[in-house]
Structure formats: structure tokens, C-alpha cells
Amino acid sequence: MRAVAYEAFGETPTVRTVADPAPAPHGAVVRVEATGLCRSDWHGWMGHDPDIRRFPHVPGHELAGVVEAVGPRVERWAPGARVTVPFVCACGTCAQCVAGAHQICDRQTQPGFTHWGSFAELVAIDWADVNLVALPDELEADVAAALGCRFATAYRAVLQVGRVRAGEWVAVHGCGGVGLSAVLVAVAAGARVIAVDVSHAALRVARDAGAELAVPAGADVREHTSGGAHVSLDAIGSEAACAASIAGLRKRGRHVQIGLLPDAPRVPMDLVIGRELELLGSHGMAAHAYPEMLALVAGGRLRPDRLVTARIGLDEAPQALVAMTDGSPVGITVIRP
């Protein structure tokens, strides 16, 4: 198969022919129709993720496609099914999985990190019966690809972890793919959204996605929201964004950390204590939680298609990944193998 691969952290990837994957006894191989280019892929390529240990390595972790083959222990799936998959592939049997928290599975694997990913024509997925998610026929692969990571991550972060309620102020720091997804989800929930970013282009897209206010990084969120946001998200992953998210909360507000932080950040704990703030982490969404989100997408309440801003081929993916060093792209870039 053709795939994007690199031989060392930070080295420019190339498109090459590599061996086709085979399904594990409990797994499946999916023929990739579309895969998203996510900042997490950039973090992996830069060496920020300890799960990447062997080279060459193929990145990519959010995808949509068609089941190509399944292992002998797979019961629920057969070749030809259209699917997506959460970027955390859960085992289904550990203590976390038994409690329903598949997104923090003790034995999780992640395509593009623990093994070769979806910047390829084929990708192997572990524990297929636990992790594959059927796609509605009307949902195009280009749109469905983002449901494996950015959109599902934002959905859970806003509604399940952040517990956003109608009428509350929600601050979204960082308006890349995750942040814009969070804007859409929060607006659909009836929240008032203030988007924060260094990019004027990103702020324009956030307004189009329904943000009531869109302000440059460094703006006083508490002043703009009459005392502070009820919920605030760091959707990009930087010490400055994390600190600003916390500082912009009103008393007893909730900070949700979504973006990956390559270094241990300094956190304004004096504000956390003095305002009795909650600091929460959010790590994807379990496959069993997808039906509710998919129903809202199919019904038109949520429109992830509005966030797909670029479509490129596999041959363009290496340079697109390298270009993320200068900042996240606005919206979602989809790669078509």
C-alpha cells in the first residue's frame, strides 16, 4: 500500500510503498477513504508522544473508511461496512472499560501512535467489536473522518466533561479543528460562546460557526462575559492558552484541558483556589457514546461539514504536516488516500 512515513522525529515524511497491514485476531483492517490532518499528528512527528518508538512510522488517527478484512475473533463486523473509529481504541475488558470509560482504557492503542496510522490506504484497528462505529449512509467520508478525534473530542469535552448548559458563557481558546468543533457543539447546546485566538482568520471562522464574540488572545474574557466564563477550554495546548483559560473563568467555573501540552505548564493555582475552580481533562470519546452525536449530525443539529476547509491528496500530506510547525490550519484539512 501507499503511505506517508518518516524515519525520525522532525524529519520530512515521504510517500512510499509499504507492506499491507493484517488484522489481529480481534481486529480489523479498514480501507481509508478519508483521514484528518490533526495537530496531534504534528506533536507525534515532533517527538512529543512516548508511544511512537519505532521507525519508519506512519501517522494519522482520525479516519473514515470501509472494512477490508477482519480477524477470526471479530463477531459484529464484516468486509464492506462503512465505519469510523475513536482515536483511543479500547480493549473492552479492563477496569476502565468495564466502567464505560473506554477513552481512558488501561490497554488502549492508538493508530498513528502505538502503531501505524491512517495516512495510508489501509490501517489496522484493534478490538474491532469494541471500537468500530457504523456510519450513516448519508454521511460523507470527508466529514466523518473528523468524528474520530476532533469533533468527538470536542463534543464530549463540552457536554459531558464541561457540563455546559444553555445560557452559560463558554470560552474557547484556540480555534483550530478542535476549537471550532467546540464552538459548534456549545452553540448547538444553547450556550453563549466567546472565541479566542491569535489569528484573525480563525476568529472569522469562529463567528461563522456561531460564536457570539470573537476576540484576540490577550483580551479580558471576564470583562467581555460580565464576570467570566462558566466553562473555558484550552483547545490548542499551550501554557499561555491554559493560563488564559483559567484566568477567564468566573468563580466556581470549569476549565477543560483538551490540547496536548508538550511540557509541564505553570498553572495559576492561586486563582484555582481563590475562585474554587474545577480543572478537568478530556481525552476523546468512547465508541459506545457515538450514537447520540451521530444522531445530531444526521439530523442537521450539528454540522461538522462546515469545518472542512481543505481537501488534499496523500502526496500533499507530508508538506501539510510540516507546515503545521508555523501554526494550526483554520478548520479541518482532510487527506484522501
Side-chain angles (χ1 to χ4, degrees):
M1 69 174 180
R2 296 177 75 238
V4 173
Y6 52 86
E7 297 286 349
F9 295 129
E11 179 184 284
T12 300
T14 60
V15 178
R16 63 186 76 172
T17 300
V18 299
D20 291 356
H26 52 64
V29 169
V30 175
R31 181 163 293 278
V32 180
E33 293 186 326
T35 183
L37 175 62
C38 179
R39 191 157 183 83
S40 297
D41 301 313
W42 178 86
H43 278 292
W45 171 64
M46 289 296 292
H48 300 159
D49 193 299
D51 286 330
I52 300 176
R53 300 171 184 171
R54 297 179 181 178
F55 298 101
H57 184 71
V58 176
H61 64 284
E62 52 180 23
L63 65 123
V66 177
V67 175
E68 180 85 358
V70 298
R73 287 166 46 190
V74 174
E75 299 178 355
R76 296 179 52 213
W77 301 94
R82 294 187 69 241
V83 296
T84 187
V85 60
F87 74 90
V88 174
C89 291
C91 72
T93 57
C94 71
Q96 300 299 333
C97 287
V98 170
H102 291 193
Q103 73 282 349
I104 51 172
C105 169
D106 291 333
R107 295 188 291 175
Q108 65 186 257
T109 61
Q110 296 183 22
F113 297 95
T114 59
H115 62 284
W116 283 5
S118 54
F119 285 16
E121 294 174 329
L122 300 167
V123 62
I125 301 298
D126 289 325
W127 299 297
D129 284 338
V130 177
N131 296 299
L132 295 184
V133 177
L135 290 175
D137 291 338
E138 64 272 17
L139 189 59
E140 295 183 1
D142 287 8
V143 178
L147 302 182
C149 178
R150 280 170 283 190
F151 202 83
T153 293
Y155 183 87
R156 182 169 176 272
V158 170
L159 297 181
Q160 299 170 9
V161 177
R163 311 188 303 279
V164 167
R165 296 183 289 270
E168 289 188 321
W169 275 107
V170 176
V172 178
H173 293 259
C175 296
V178 174
L180 291 172
S181 298
V183 170
L184 283 179
V185 173
V187 169
R192 305 175 70 184
V193 176
I194 177 169
V196 184
D197 202 286
V198 297
S199 164
H200 293 295
L203 294 177
R204 285 195 297 272
V205 177
R207 289 190 195 96
D208 291 342
E212 183 172 331
L213 298 173
V215 300
D220 189 340
V221 170
R222 283 166 60 84
E223 179 179 347
H224 284 290
T225 57
S226 302
H230 299 84
V231 179
S232 189
L233 303 92
D234 173 7
I236 189 167
S238 76
E239 183 177 282
C242 175
S245 175
I246 293 168
L249 287 168
R250 66 182 59 211
K251 291 182 177 179
R252 311 207 82 180
R254 307 177 298 278
H255 165 78
V256 183
Q257 187 66 38
I258 307 173
L260 298 175
L261 293 159
D263 300 305
R266 291 168 294 180
V267 176
M269 292 303 295
D270 57 327
L271 298 181
V272 175
I273 295 166
R275 297 181 192 167
E276 291 195 351
L277 306 177
E278 293 183 52
L279 302 187
L280 304 161
S282 189
H283 189 240
M285 189 168 78
H288 65 73
Y290 270 62
E292 177 185 272
M293 179 184 69
L294 286 173
L296 292 174
V297 172
R301 287 282 307 281
L302 291 175
R303 293 284 307 278
D305 58 295
R306 296 171 60 186
L307 302 182
V308 178
T309 53
R311 294 171 173 86
I312 62 176
L314 201 62
D315 291 316
E316 301 167 87
Q319 281 306 126
L321 179 62
V322 173
M324 295 187 83
T325 302
D326 297 325
S328 295
V330 177
I332 293 174
T333 298
V334 171
I335 301 166
R336 293 167 165 169

